[in-house]
Amino acid sequence: MADEDELRSQMTNAFEEADYPISSPMDLVPALPNGPSTKFESGDFSMTAMELNTKLDGGNFPYESPDSFVDDIIEQLKAQDEL
């Protein structure tokens, strides 16, 4: 089972260097430590940033902060029973 707090921390750390506000997932790529291959892992959950992007419904862009973006990601993953 994935630890939501651990994933939230990993995602926040990965996305916090982006230049906010962000208006699309492409705005995040330069900030990611390993680009689209950046991996988020906890328990039995493992997903790259690219895989994560395919799971999301497009998001509510623009996002003003990494926290609001990560909150939306976590909410969507829960709704899809990924977490």
Side-chain angles (χ1 to χ4, degrees):
M1 185 164 171
D3 180 327
E4 180 182 330
D5 291 334
E6 182 179 5
L7 285 173
R8 184 179 296 278
S9 176
Q10 288 176 31
M11 290 177 186
T12 300
N13 287 338
F15 298 135
E16 69 186 353
E17 296 301 318
D19 187 19
Y20 286 86
I22 57 171
S23 57
S24 80
M26 294 308 295
D27 291 344
L28 298 164
V29 174
L32 294 171
N34 295 316
S37 298
T38 300
K39 192 172 276 193
F40 305 103
E41 299 178 296
S42 177
D44 58 357
F45 180 91
S46 178
M47 201 173 283
T48 65
M50 185 179 292
E51 292 168 323
L52 189 62
N53 186 49
T54 66
K55 293 282 185 184
L56 303 179
D57 71 1
N60 296 312
F61 289 94
Y63 289 95
E64 300 296 325
S65 71
D67 291 332
S68 63
F69 182 59
V70 172
D71 287 347
D72 196 30
I73 292 170
I74 296 293
E75 182 179 307
Q76 288 189 48
L77 288 173
K78 284 181 175 179
Q80 296 173 25
D81 291 326
E82 294 285 344
L83 290 181

